[in-house]
Amino acid sequence: MVIEKSFYGFTKDGTPIDQYTLVNANGAMVKIINYGGIVTELWVPDKNGLLRDVVLGFDTLAEFEGPNDPYFGCIVGRYANRIAQGRFTIDGVTYQLACNDAGGARPNMLHGGVKGFQDVVWKAIPMKTPEGPALRLKYLSHDGEEGFPGNLDVTVTYTLTNDNALKIEYVATTDKPTVVNLTNHAYFNLEGEGSGDILNHELMIVADNYTPVDNNLIPTGEIAPVAGTPLDFREPRKIGERIQAFAEPPFKGYDHNFVLNNQTGELALAARVKAPESGIVMEVYTTQPGVQLYTGNWLDLKGKGGKYYGQYAGFCLETQHYPDSPNHPNFPSTLLSPGEVYRQVTIYKFLTE
Ligand code: BGC
């Protein structure tokens, strides 16, 4: 196994950022920068044994830091997804966050606020583990940051295991009651990034239910069955087969939280995706109770190597707690109190068929 560190670039305020290259025993490779914990490249073998980079991204730090970055490959926090009105209450105290969703056009906080975890500098600790090369990232989110209470000590560990899985472990502790929902926002294209849209990918999601939302993409609170809807992915279906049902805003494609059948907090299969041409299959395992399927509905930009990424150029499977959980007592709780340890694991495992 190999772990290499190289200088990646300076942030706007002059902080040097490094890129870590992890290569496992099979030659699969991931590159991660300590800005936002962004997975910049992920090379896995296709059915002919040739490596393909299956994540969308940019070539430069300036682009990841810039206003056009749609959360490519980053760690999302302190609260992934939306909080209605950017507001929640703990022990009778109401906290107001920034409403940054859709550039302020929707009255929600999205993905942690204006400067969420995707835009902070993490301390990086490379590690050689028996499972494969790993990178541990640490960040202390201070009390009041983006409006959230409590100093939140966050550790995210990426391991590129020798069975070609990218394992992501999230651990956090706080010194005041707060809410936490961490995920990774990688956009996958299992034919290779920049190779067109993902509408022919076959997707299976182990979810009988989903959380319906209103026009601001905020859950109504209902847990509804997927049966008889275009959200029924219990058997593998092409992503593009029924996507037109959501062609209109606010969706423009899939942008839905699925209620995973596994609600035990133990690791279980959540989803499986297959690309027909490359033969690359990705299985997603998680301890989380939900997953957001987002199909890059608003993409319209130039990514790595100047390649054009248009609508549906990639899909995200953001394992998570449900959107707006702090305002829905019937959803699994996202509250973290002092003395407790937040711990979640998600594994993106790659194979071929
Ligand atoms: C959300 C989308 C949002 C996108 C931004 C996704 O996680 O579900 O609504 O547009 O992130 O990149």
Side-chain angles (χ1 to χ4, degrees), residues 89-104:
T89 300
I90 301 176
D91 297 335
V93 182
T94 297
Y95 297 92
Q96 181 67 56
L97 318 168
C99 288
N100 63 316
D101 191 4

Side-chain angles (χ1 to χ4, degrees), residues 69-72 76 80-82 101-102 106 110-111 183 185 187 217 250-251 254-257 292-299 316 318 320 323:
D69 174 32
Y71 299 87
F72 278 151
V76 186
N81 216 306
R82 298 181 163 83
D101 191 4
R106 288 199 202 107
L110 176 68
H111 294 334
T183 194
H185 209 290
Y187 287 71
L217 297 175
F251 300 104
Y254 286 106
D255 193 358
H256 296 79
N257 173 61
Q292 184 88 7
L293 169 63
Y294 176 62
T295 44
N297 308 333
W298 303 87
L299 285 178
C316 308
E318 304 155 57
Q320 59 174 6

Side-chain angles (χ1 to χ4, degrees), residues 36 88 143 324:
F88 63 94
D143 186 14
D324 201 31

Side-chain angles (χ1 to χ4, degrees), residues 57 68 85 88 128 149 182 201 228 243 266 283 286 291 315 325:
N68 294 329
Q85 309 292 327
F88 63 94
K128 289 189 174 168
L182 305 177
H201 284 49
I243 200 169
E266 300 295 320
E283 292 176 345
T286 190
V291 65
F315 66 92
S325 293

